[in-house]
Amino acid sequence: MSNRIARVVWGAFIALVGVALFVVYRHYFAGASGALRWVKDGIHYELLDPRALGLLLVTPLLLFVLGRSLADLPWPQRALSVLFRIAFLGLIALGLSRLVRSEETHKVCTVLLVDVSDSVPDDALADARQSIEQYARAKANDDQLKVVTFAERPRLIEIYQGEKLALPRVAQLRHHAADGKPLGAGTDIRAALALSYGLFPPAFLKRVVLLSDGLETDGDLLAEANRARGFQVTLYAVPYRRPPPGEVAVRSLTVPDKVDVGQSFEIVADVYASRAAHARARLFQGEALNGLDGVRELELKPGRNELKFQSVVRVGGEVTYALRLDELSQDTFRDNNAFSVTVDVPGRPTVLYVEGQPQRASYLMSALNAQQFDVDVRAASAFPASLRELERYDFVIVSDVPHEAFPLPAQELVERYVRDLGGGFLFAGGEAGYGLGGWAHSTIERLLPVRMDAEHRKEMPGVAMVLAIDRSGSMTGLPMEMAKAACKATLSTLQGDDLLEVIAFDSSPVVYVKMQPARYRSRIQNDIQRIQPGGGTEIFSSLDLAYRDLSVVQARKKHVILLTDGQAPSQGIKDLVQAMLSESITVTTVGLGEGANQDLLRSIADGGGGRFHAVPDPNSLPKIFTRETELIAQQAAVEDWFPVEQVAPADFLKGIAINAAPLLHGYVATQLKPPPAQLILQSERGDPILARWRAGLGWSLAWTSDLKNNWSIDWLRWSGFSKFWGQLVREHMRVKHRRELDMKTEMLGSDVHAVVDAFTADERFDNGIVSKLIVTGPGSAGSRRELAMHQTAPGRYEATFPLDQYGSFLLRAEHAKAGENGELKPLAMSYGHVTNPYPREYASFDPDLDRLARATLAGGGSIDPDPKRVFDPAGQKIVSYSPLWNRFVLAAIALFLLDLLVRRVRLFDRKFLPRQR
Amino acid sequence: MIFAGLPLAQLLMIAGAATALTVLLYVLKLRRRPVPVPFARIWDAVFRDRQATELFSKLRRLLSLLFQLALLALLILALGNPKPKAAILEGRHLVVLVDGSASMKAIDVKPSRIEVAKAEVRKLVHGLGSADRALIVEMGSLPSPLSTMSSDVTELDPAIDSLTASDTRADLERGLSFAVDSLRGLPKAEIVVVSDGVLGDSSELEKHVDFGGASLKFMPIGKSGNNVAISQFSVRRYPLDKSRSEVMLEVANTNDQPVQIELTLLGDGTIIDVSRIALGPNERLPRYYQDLAGASRTLEAKIRLADGRSDDLPADDHAFALMPERHRARVLLISRGNTYLDAALLLDEYLDVTTVPPGRPLPSEHFDVAILDGVADSLPDTVGAALYLNPPEDGSPAKLGHAIKDFGFDTWDKKSPILRFLALGDVQVAEGHAFAPGPSDHVLGASEQGPILVSGVRAGHKFVALGFDPRNSDLVLRVAWPLFVLNSINAFVEEDTGYVSSFRTGDVWRIPVPSSVDSATLIDPRGGKHTVPVKEGRAVYLGEEAGFYKLVAGSGSDAVSSEFAANLSDLAESSITPVSALSLGKARAEPVVLGAPGSKRELWVYLLAAVAALSVIEWITYHRRVTV
């Protein structure tokens, strides 16, 4: 064969090898994204990085170089050499491709989980420390031992310094924060177990030994024991058996689900004592000691002690009971010496009583209190701002409040309260009631069963009014001009039949406008315009003149308005005013500027049954006069003694001899609206005294007399007064038709789970309810939060929320359902309470051996194992993968030396025989 | 530098022997081939040249030796598996929390979010420095570490491979707490959350988790959240008419666009209803089915988009429920004859009543409930629970107190299932006894004169005791009487109407079992068997997979099996729109910066690669006579 042919053949061979290697590599290794696996003789092999075998693709290069070799070697050695070099690279490639193979090991790694929570006494921890030493002695050299301590959270601790066991002291085993604060107020065994899963090195049998009292506050050991099996962990337990420390704890405080105001009931406390102990128990209702049964000296026996206290709630609402233990003969933890629970005691019906003269509200309030109503008296300015707040009341009374003091939003709230929420509403008269208070054509009038535009009494003029105007020198200028304007404004306010007289006075009175009907307006205005300032100030004579002129005219209302800006003698004025009042002539006084004798004017107004106005700015005089005239000129007030007459039957009048009721002394004249307005009581003249009708869902009532010691002064002394109003309110108050749905609450770890089951009247599931859960607490002064309850099954509504505070919490669920128009309508309520009094770590101290036993049963282990048994593989084996790359490197070294030998020592053709041709 | 491979002594021994052999082989001269030449003078020039280049020739030999020694040194060094000392002391420590919740099954990224997460984590791990160590944790309803804190990719890679998404929500707080526990005391601690961000409300977590210096990083997964879900599916029996039940099914659209879905209901595996439902943006629509025909045992609901497209999360498009099964309760009535009692028991067709006069031998078979009317015979263990009516002093489960007359129920536990729907306020009783209940007994009803209705447990068996003969009262004339009897039986046989037929995955389930058993066997939807512990009459198990389960309590002929369904039922988990950033209150997780892939390789890999390269070079130089 010629050289050329040999080269061609050699080249073809190299190309063939190259192509073959490339094809094999591309097919089997280049596209492999993960490991390659195979089994041979029961042993699993795995090539973790098969692409590294691509190193063998240099083989054609080696062959090519060999073909061009200048080395003086016989061809067998050359062949050997290239084979060795390819094998060498093959071994390196196998090493790089990370060939591993499975093997069985029997090494054991044991993790000791040591409970160091507060419920564990120091003695038990010392025992645990000894146990760790026993386990350290029991382990074989190739076994491993790790220790995790746990309370609220788990921690891995180092127990070896080098090869030597160096256990922390007992006190050091407990957990503390960086600032030294102890962290033992909880036990989460589950978290400790979960932490251990990540501590087992590969190729070790996994064992966990739990050293604990079995009491847990978070997590669930039993569920985690199942998971441990899933991680191939065998769970053993060594229960702490030391007796619990001297400890007294209040475990529960049970108040009946339903507590009624005024009825005594029993509160049961469960007090745990680890040993016989003495203690003093104090039961608090709110901030005060429980009245019936507040303090007990206790001799507690070991275990559970039941205490019963009698209590009574006098006022409804949220009531918090707290049991506190002190003077304890032995105790370790203080947190668990108190327990509080809050209950919602349905209170008495509540009446909102808005009184224009709050200082005179006591009469009706006392009467309603006597009838078992809670009465909330407020001024008009403090009227609730929202329907939610108004909803708390069962009945609303607005009495003798002027219209301008009761803004439109408040009136609209009242209307919605009655119409939409079914509330009861009573509007009572008085000097500022009905027309007298300017309520005509108001929202409230629309709500009431009476109209306020009562017909005038034709038989006599409505009002006879005298304006007594100070025209002293000090009134010169703007004051006098404004006083004249005020007189003209008064004139324009009066009806044509009303009578008006204007007296201007200085040291003596001058009648500028004689008593005449107001219909002569232009003449009267001219007369007023003639008033000129004069000299001093003399009030008595002008009042006396006004008295004399008024006493001879016929009018239902006789009134004097006295305007002055200076000082005047007061002699005789008091008697004069009394005399005027005795003839139903009332006097209102207006003091202009700071120089006016306010004391005198105030006493005149008080004695004269009128009002006193201190006016610093003369510009406001017309407004004052107009307002005063409107009050007086309202044609509605009827002041006369009269008996009330019942004209229609009413349930609330049962048992009340209304015909024997005392006389009333006045009312505001109104007109009954057409049916369904219903007249119950009327005056002699047939005017409505008490009328009612249904307005929307609720009742609206009109009481045209007053509720205090003015027109009703004799009624206040009537024996039936309290009963009359009590029965009236009770019949017409808001009826809470809402259903109550049972709520079940339970604490799941630190979460509260609330469940409400809703059924319809025919015992089907009530679906599609929109429920809102309101949680308040801890205690009655705690925060408030709202969350939605979600429907999870037919008729079932649930909510879960975390409690991160300690104390007692009230739960109230409001259930609503969408009506036909899609609007939500209240449907039902649910009430519940939960108590999270203190960290649960301090609630139990007796070891829960049963929990530990069941956990080890689920975890495949046992209770109190011999440490040697824990480290004994007991035939168990674990399959692990060991890397083989170092073996290939060793082989490569050997091959390297062989290759060197082949190239450095002539092994063949040592006689140098000539080549055969 | 430390050696993690062969011990140093062995290494030195191998190095010494190999070096000696190598040098020895170089000391030997290769015997040259004798070449006869015709005329020596011609070669004189060659020999002169050779003498002139001898020094160069020696240098080539020396170079060759050095090549070989370098190769050898690299091999032996690789054998020692050298690691920088910093790898032990100063590397970063990472806990990689990989979201394993149901939303990670979403397929908005291919093949799925969990697979993309695995690929990203693999990149992260392979990009770590040689001194860094990582712990791979699957974050489901509970955290599950899948590796140790390791720098070895051969351990971390299988852990990454084993990551899965289950039918639960992810509990980020527990995951972070676990990470903090694992990193406590370790330098350069980092927590990497790999998730689509569907992790519930995390705004308060900053307050609850003390990171203790560990930094938090977030690697977002997923790109869209087109999903419709079955957010509730359950069946419940009616409280009174237990032969009938009602199904609740809620479908939800978690998108901002309206969708049409097709809902298929399967009863016992066959289709019983197909309907189309229009859902508005983010709408939840409950549906109720009363007395659903066509299903006697199992119910399944499936939804899909009406246009045939798939949504991004198929996992919540399938839900399971079991029709509540009614067992026939076996009742043993020990009575001299009581018409009112007989009438009450006739109202429930699911009762098998066996009547025995007092004093006669009791049947040996199993009874769920015994009703003892005016007697208190001792009962065998085959009787599950007992209702005592006016028990005599001797044998009464609760000690009898003083005799009382003319009384009624002044208080009663309205929340007890035994007194559900009962109005006892105006019941009049002529005579009876008050009980003196034990510490663990529960007073269900009491008059002012003492407890008259008590429940409790004696020797593992439940009981209810009524302190008067109902015939001495007007109770028997009221609707409350049969309700009381039937409620008691229902409470004993765990057929309370509160029972809802499906559990939620991710919760710890407490499944009622006979209180006498210690453990039970749970068979999951894939047929896997688990031995679960029983505590206080409940089998405890953390379920993470939706589907039908079977629980077998006890063994042999006493084995009692029950079935139940589990569903995800978590609208928050179905709202799968991914987030690009994770914030815990004010704190915001930093983004993850991936290192260069491959930088995680150990030193020996580079040493062997150098050996390979050097070996090829040496081969070429040798054969081209650059070295000899």
Side-chain angles (χ1 to χ4, degrees), chain B residues 47-113:
Chain B
F47 284 123
R48 277 198 299 275
D49 285 350
R50 188 177 172 277
Q51 283 166 354
T53 59
E54 192 165 8
L55 182 62
F56 180 66
S57 184
K58 282 180 180 171
L59 273 177
R60 286 196 300 177
R61 260 170 88 90
L62 190 62
L63 186 62
S64 177
L65 175 62
L66 286 176
F67 245 126
Q68 307 295 358
L69 288 178
L71 260 173
L72 195 60
L74 287 173
L75 279 170
I76 289 168
L77 203 57
L79 205 55
N81 191 9
K83 287 180 188 288
K85 218 168 189 175
I88 305 299
L89 298 177
E90 293 173 3
R92 289 185 295 158
H93 292 86
L94 282 80
V95 172
V96 186
L97 296 173
V98 185
D99 187 350
S101 66
S103 64
M104 293 295 282
K105 290 183 175 178
I107 53 173
D108 53 326
V109 285
K110 300 298 174 195
S112 68
R113 287 184 185 179

Side-chain angles (χ1 to χ4, degrees), chain A residues 48-49 55 58 61-62 65-66 68-73 81-82 85 88-89 92 95-96 98 153-155 190 194-195 197-202 220 222-224 226-227 231 304 742-744 757 759 763-765 767-768 790-796 831 848 850-851 854 857-858 885-886 889-890 893 896-897 900-901 903-906 909-910 912-913, chain B residues 14 18 21-22 25-26 28 30-34 61 68 71-72 75-76 78-79 81 142-145 147-149 154-155 174 177-178 181-182 184 232 234 236-240 244 246 248 284 288 290 414-415 421 439 498 500 508 510 517-518 531-535 540-542 601-602 604-605 608 611-612 615-616 618-620 622-625 628:
Chain A
L48 298 179
D49 192 2
L55 183 59
V58 300
L61 175 65
L62 301 183
V65 172
L66 182 70
R68 306 288 302 272
S69 176
L70 302 175
D72 182 23
L73 283 175
S81 173
V82 77
R85 183 54 57 109
F88 176 81
L89 285 176
I92 297 294
L96 285 171
R98 296 167 175 270
R153 301 299 314 166
R155 292 180 178 183
R190 184 209 61 76
L195 183 68
Y197 305 151
L199 301 177
F200 294 104
D220 194 304
L222 295 181
E224 193 61 37
N226 274 321
R227 291 216 316 150
F231 283 98
R304 182 175 179 269
D742 273 354
M743 181 193 289
K744 289 178 188 165
D757 282 319
F759 301 97
E763 298 303 343
R764 288 177 171 269
F765 298 115
N767 298 317
H790 296 294
Q791 184 171 6
T792 58
R796 171 161 290 194
Y831 300 92
D848 190 345
D850 182 52
R851 182 184 302 278
R854 289 174 192 268
L857 191 65
W885 67 267
N886 49 1
V889 175
L890 271 174
I893 291 173
F896 166 82
L897 293 173
L900 212 54
L901 177 71
R903 284 196 282 158
R904 304 299 305 174
V905 179
R906 184 173 286 274
D909 191 21
R910 291 182 67 87
F912 302 110
L913 296 174
Chain B
I14 295 169
L21 265 173
T22 305
L25 288 170
Y26 266 80
L28 296 175
L30 188 67
R31 217 175 138 201
R32 293 191 181 278
R33 173 188 295 273
R61 260 170 88 90
Q68 307 295 358
L71 260 173
L72 195 60
L75 279 170
I76 289 168
L79 205 55
N81 191 9
L142 293 174
S144 302
S147 70
T148 57
M149 182 73 78
T154 58
E155 185 188 350
R174 279 185 165 149
S177 298
F178 174 86
D181 293 337
S182 301
R184 188 172 283 114
Q232 296 290 354
S234 54
R236 220 177 157 190
R237 272 199 302 270
Y238 286 115
L240 288 184
R244 301 166 67 199
E246 187 168 317
M248 175 189 174
R284 298 167 64 179
Y288 307 97
Q290 295 170 355
K414 295 186 181 71
K415 296 192 174 179
F421 314 118
V500 180
V508 174
R510 292 181 168 81
V517 301
D518 287 336
T531 302
V532 294
V534 174
K535 174 90 172 160
V540 183
Y541 183 72
L542 174 76
R601 292 196 185 281
E602 298 95 320
W604 66 263
V605 175
L608 284 192
V611 166
S615 158
V616 173
E618 193 272 341
W619 179 261
I620 296 167
Y622 174 79
H623 283 283
R624 298 308 298 168
R625 304 293 292 169
V628 294

Side-chain angles (χ1 to χ4, degrees), chain A residues 111-233:
Chain A
V111 179
L112 300 182
L113 305 180
V114 182
D115 186 349
V116 296
S117 62
D118 284 350
S119 64
V120 176
D122 283 349
D123 292 346
L125 272 191
D127 292 346
R129 200 170 173 278
Q130 283 184 0
S131 293
I132 298 172
E133 289 172 344
Q134 287 172 6
Y135 278 88
R137 283 196 296 271
K139 85 176 184 70
N141 282 339
D142 54 355
D143 292 337
Q144 287 199 17
L145 178 66
K146 298 183 179 184
V147 175
V148 169
T149 55
F150 67 92
E152 293 172 37
R153 301 299 314 166
R155 292 180 178 183
L156 174 68
I157 61 167
E158 285 298 329
I159 57 167
Y160 288 103
Q161 280 182 351
E163 297 289 314
K164 192 180 167 193
L165 186 69
L167 288 179
R169 291 195 303 275
V170 167
Q172 292 172 324
L173 285 172
R174 301 219 185 249
H175 289 183
H176 294 87
D179 58 3
K181 188 180 152 200
L183 294 173
T187 309
D188 193 343
I189 306 177
R190 184 209 61 76
L193 206 44
L195 183 68
S196 73
Y197 305 151
L199 301 177
F200 294 104
F204 276 78
L205 292 167
K206 302 170 185 177
R207 308 278 163 86
V208 164
V209 182
L210 174 61
L211 292 87
S212 171
D213 54 13
L215 302 173
E216 56 183 348
T217 59
D218 295 293
D220 194 304
L221 169 62
L222 295 181
E224 193 61 37
N226 274 321
R227 291 216 316 150
R229 284 301 281 276
F231 283 98
Q232 284 84 47
V233 172

Side-chain angles (χ1 to χ4, degrees), chain A residues 360 363 706-713 716:
Chain A
R360 298 166 81 179
Y363 308 108
D706 69 4
L707 298 171
K708 41 189 182 279
N709 56 347
N710 189 13
W711 293 339
S712 298
I713 188 162
L716 302 182

